[in-house]
Amino acid sequence: MPNINALLTSYFGMYAVQVLVHSLIASLIVDIALLVWKITKPVNQQAFRLIVLFLPFMMYPIYQFINPDRGSLFFRLHSLTDINKWLFTEIVGLPMYFLLLAVCVLTSVVFIIQEFLPMVMQFLYQRSRSAQDALQEEDVLPEEFVERLEEALEGLPFHIDDIKIINNDDLELFSSTGLRPKIYATTGIIDAFDREHLRAALAHEIGHIVRSRKPILMVAYVVRCIMFFNPIALIEFRKIAQEEEKICDDIAIELTNNPEALYDAIAMMRPEYEAYEEGGIKGVASSLEHYSHEVMLKNRLMRIGGQSYERSDSAIAFSFTVLLIAGLNYFIV
Amino acid sequence: MSSSKGFRLLKEEQNRVEGIHRQILDFVDLRTYTLLHHYSMKSDRAFTLRGILIMLVISVIIATALYSANLMPSLIDKGFARQYGSLEEVRRTLGNEHITIPNYFPEGIRWPPSYIVAQRSPFWGIVMEFQSRDSEQTVLSIIQTDLKGLTESFRRLDFKEVREEVEYSIKKNKAILKVGICDNGWECNSIRWQDKTRRFEILSTSSPFETMKIAEGMMH
């Protein structure tokens, strides 16, 4: 059996354990800060949530640089919390580090099954679909689809040449980012949506493309992947992604000035529950997935058309929260 | 209820609220409105400050909770590291079988140890620091741990610069002698070895010869 004490007192071990506990503290403080300062704007909420992801990840080397003795026994004696004391405490004859290990293993499995594999599959699927189903350039695009897209794009900052039509009846619309961003729309969605709905949905995707020019989410995803064992990072990253959808909704409303159309478009894209009714574990899993997707969509629908007004100075609130978390976590070793 | 209908109801409610606001504004003149706006701006600043105060109070509560929680493992297991007043107290709490006391001390070192930290969990270990008779300065530090532990984690005083590192054999034990400058700027030296059950480390500001004699006095 490996020397668990040597592992936990090594630089890597201390980093891993402290990142986890510091994320928990950061998450708690950020949630309280959002309530105390009544932060409601998605862009501000996302900025606060990014603290939970970035700060614990970045601060450990800085703490050690400020005080190389921070991990020593003597610092621990006077610290606010010595995590190792908890980890080596035996409850019913079992050291608590087994519990921590179980949580980390479980989170890693969830990360691989729910995030990493689906992302790879989605990437391959989108590539194969765009290659197989996209109407070839030499193909004559159905006139009515092009006309509808042109009408919907009127006044929006996006060119029709960068929209790829996928020959499929599903209601799907997604975008790719990069140097030449593209929007992919199925013939199904172009057919089912009227001009205003299509315009709102396209504006939402334009929002994603505009936002992708600031690669903060990409960096956040990389950090989240490095912290694959951290359940707090998993939860927070999902919240960050949900806020991103809301931010793009706001951009869509700003571009179209038609919240009603966006509301309808999102509502129309909500899948029918019956489609997910399956038996066994697969059924439960798809029901859960459907439920969480449904909650997220409802959340988005409920805020469309509402006004977000921040009573507090969010920059001051943000800076103060960062200082508070960084200060508190310094004494948690 | 269709989605459009839901949205329309939501919009109607918002319009109703905005209508009430507009009606209120119709009754106040521009000067009053400006004053109201100014007041609302002021209250925003007050709101931010109020938030800072609340957050400070909450962080004190969190810090207190963490500190209290930190005491709990020591209640469950008395063996976690803590400072002790005397070797007798260590023996009473952790058992005396492991503590090795040197049978030689250089002159000028004050007995008993001025600072003792010991633990049984997660591994057995003790550090004893001794002061000079003439000053309050720590001149000798003796660390002992079991083989699961690392003497490094008990080092309060460490080398800033190592000038020489030599391997010696003392009483058939392989020992490493280091000579250099310590964190506090004093010339110091250390000797490190292990037997079948324990690791030892002595750090001293005496001469290397004296340090080796202390080590010899601990090897039985």
Side-chain angles (χ1 to χ4, degrees):
Chain A
M1 193 177 160
N3 187 345
I4 197 85
N5 177 60
L7 181 72
L8 288 174
T9 48
S10 69
Y11 196 80
F12 171 76
M14 286 199 291
Y15 195 174
V17 171
Q18 285 183 36
V19 150
L20 221 147
V21 178
H22 290 179
S23 300
L24 185 69
I25 299 295
S27 172
L28 178 71
I29 293 178
V30 160
D31 277 338
I32 295 170
L34 291 175
L35 282 173
V36 167
W37 278 298
K38 292 187 170 61
I39 308 285
T40 53
K41 277 189 181 171
V43 69
N44 290 339
Q45 285 207 348
Q46 191 188 56
F48 271 78
R49 300 242 169 254
L50 284 168
I51 298 175
V52 184
L53 207 62
F54 284 123
L55 205 64
F57 180 74
M58 283 169 19
M59 287 311 286
Y60 179 78
I62 297 171
Y63 290 150
Q64 293 305 119
F65 177 75
I66 295 168
N67 181 1
D69 272 347
R70 194 174 154 268
S72 75
L73 179 79
F74 305 99
F75 187 91
R76 288 173 184 275
L77 280 178
H78 305 289
S79 67
L80 213 49
T81 295
D82 176 0
I83 306 165
N84 283 1
K85 249 163 82 171
W86 270 105
L87 293 180
F88 286 103
T89 299
E90 288 187 11
I91 293 178
V92 210
L94 205 70
M96 292 280 274
Y97 60 75
F98 276 115
L99 186 71
L100 180 90
L101 207 65
V103 169
C104 291
V105 168
L106 197 70
T107 310
S108 307
V109 171
V110 170
F111 169 73
I112 292 167
I113 294 174
Q114 278 209 322
E115 288 190 18
F116 188 71
L117 286 179
M119 194 192 71
V120 174
M121 301 287 274
Q122 181 76 9
F123 178 72
L124 296 173
Y125 170 74
Q126 280 185 6
R127 273 188 69 159
S128 68
R129 275 195 68 172
S130 50
Q132 287 168 15
D133 298 343
L135 295 169
Q136 300 298 309
E137 278 181 25
E138 59 268 26
D139 289 350
V140 180
L141 290 173
E143 196 70 15
E144 56 169 313
F145 288 137
V146 180
E147 271 173 26
R148 275 171 174 240
L149 278 174
E150 269 176 342
E151 268 178 40
L153 274 176
E154 210 177 295
L156 294 180
F158 207 74
H159 201 272
I160 189 145
D161 290 347
D162 291 326
I163 296 186
K164 294 285 170 202
I165 301 171
I166 295 169
N167 197 6
N168 190 294
D169 289 339
D170 293 341
L171 300 184
E172 277 184 41
L173 190 75
F174 55 89
S175 54
S176 69
T177 51
L179 288 174
R180 188 88 195 263
K182 286 187 170 42
I183 295 177
Y184 295 86
T186 58
T187 47
I189 202 167
I190 303 170
D191 198 34
F193 278 25
D194 69 15
R195 179 187 177 272
E196 288 307 313
H197 294 152
L198 197 55
R199 188 174 160 77
L202 286 168
H204 176 91
E205 289 310 315
I206 293 169
H208 279 298
I209 289 168
V210 170
R211 295 270 304 164
S212 73
R213 285 178 194 144
K214 286 181 191 167
I216 186 92
L217 269 193
M218 193 55 88
V219 179
Y221 187 72
V222 172
V223 171
R224 190 259 162 288
C225 286
I226 296 170
M227 293 198 286
F228 62 93
F229 56 90
N230 184 347
I232 310 298
L234 181 122
I235 295 165
E236 288 299 326
F237 189 77
R238 286 187 180 185
K239 287 180 181 170
I240 288 165
Q242 285 170 15
E243 295 304 333
E244 186 66 12
E245 292 301 321
K246 291 177 189 170
I247 292 167
C248 292
D249 285 344
D250 287 351
I251 293 173
I253 292 168
E254 215 167 284
L255 286 172
T256 61
N257 206 17
N258 191 351
E260 190 174 350
L262 183 70
Y263 182 97
D264 285 345
I266 296 171
M268 283 161 81
M269 288 179 95
R270 280 165 71 183
E272 293 294 322
Y273 184 69
E274 285 74 23
Y276 288 87
E277 276 189 352
E278 288 176 65
I281 297 168
K282 214 176 166 186
V284 174
S286 65
S287 295
L288 276 173
E289 199 183 324
H290 173 78
Y291 176 74
S292 61
H293 188 59
E294 184 72 7
V295 168
M296 197 190 85
L297 286 180
K298 269 189 186 167
N299 221 329
R300 281 173 65 191
L301 287 171
M302 277 170 71
R303 56 173 296 281
I304 290 176
Q307 286 175 330
S308 295
Y309 168 64
E310 306 287 24
R311 275 188 70 191
S312 58
D313 185 328
S314 48
I316 293 176
F318 180 87
S319 311
F320 190 75
T321 308
V322 168
L323 284 175
L324 213 59
I325 295 169
L328 207 56
N329 280 346
Y330 178 80
F331 297 100
I332 299 170
V333 282
Chain B
M1 187 169 67
S2 75
S3 54
S4 292
K5 204 173 172 188
F7 181 81
R8 250 167 248 132
L9 283 173
L10 184 76
K11 200 73 194 160
E12 273 171 29
E13 180 61 18
Q14 280 166 5
N15 287 341
R16 193 182 66 80
V17 175
E18 278 170 22
I20 294 168
H21 288 166
R22 246 177 268 123
Q23 280 172 26
I24 294 168
L25 282 176
D26 285 345
F27 283 102
V28 291
D29 61 15
L30 189 65
R31 192 169 159 272
T32 321
Y33 175 76
T34 315
L35 277 171
L36 274 173
H37 182 68
H38 178 70
Y39 177 75
S40 78
M41 289 300 287
K42 269 183 84 172
S43 72
D44 280 356
R45 208 171 299 149
F47 186 75
T48 310
L49 284 173
R50 196 195 70 161
I52 288 175
L53 280 176
I54 295 172
M55 288 303 287
L56 274 174
V57 171
I58 288 169
S59 45
V60 169
I61 294 168
I62 293 174
T64 312
L66 285 169
Y67 187 76
S68 310
N70 196 38
L71 301 174
M72 281 174 69
S74 300
L75 295 176
I76 299 167
D77 183 348
K78 299 269 182 222
F80 285 115
R82 74 171 174 91
Q83 195 177 339
Y84 288 87
S86 66
L87 282 173
E88 286 66 39
E89 195 189 347
V90 179
R91 288 190 179 108
R92 267 202 312 274
T93 318
L94 305 178
N96 64 353
E97 56 191 310
H98 293 291
I99 307 170
T100 307
I101 305 294
N103 55 25
Y104 170 80
F105 274 103
E107 273 186 39
I109 287 177
R110 193 189 295 164
W111 177 268
S114 56
Y115 181 83
I116 305 167
V117 168
Q119 67 176 36
R120 196 177 47 210
S121 305
F123 58 88
W124 188 90
I126 184 168
V127 58
M128 294 177 280
E129 287 184 359
F130 300 86
Q131 288 179 338
S132 157
R133 271 187 204 150
D134 309 325
S135 68
E136 298 275 291
Q137 284 288 341
T138 298
V139 289
L140 175 67
S141 167
I142 299 174
I143 301 168
Q144 301 169 46
T145 71
D146 64 19
L147 294 182
K148 284 189 287 176
L150 303 161
T151 52
E152 288 93 319
S153 50
F154 278 88
R155 257 184 230 151
R156 206 150 67 127
L157 195 63
D158 206 350
F159 283 99
K160 190 167 73 179
E161 185 193 333
V162 177
R163 286 181 179 160
E164 202 180 340
E165 191 169 331
V166 200
E167 201 176 296
Y168 274 99
S169 179
I170 309 171
K171 287 189 178 176
K172 292 182 185 171
N173 287 294
K174 196 176 85 178
I176 294 166
L177 175 76
K178 278 191 204 174
V179 180
I181 305 285
C182 269
D183 289 333
N184 57 7
W186 289 25
E187 286 201 0
C188 61
N189 54 80
S190 80
I191 190 154
R192 194 155 46 94
W193 77 97
Q194 72 176 63
D195 62 18
K196 285 176 187 164
T197 54
R198 277 172 284 172
R199 292 184 214 277
F200 299 88
E201 186 172 314
I202 301 169
L203 195 138
S204 162
T205 56
S206 308
S207 68
F209 177 71
E210 294 276 29
T211 311
M212 282 169 74
K213 278 181 80 176
I214 301 170
E216 272 178 19
M218 290 176 73
M219 292 175 189
H220 304 296

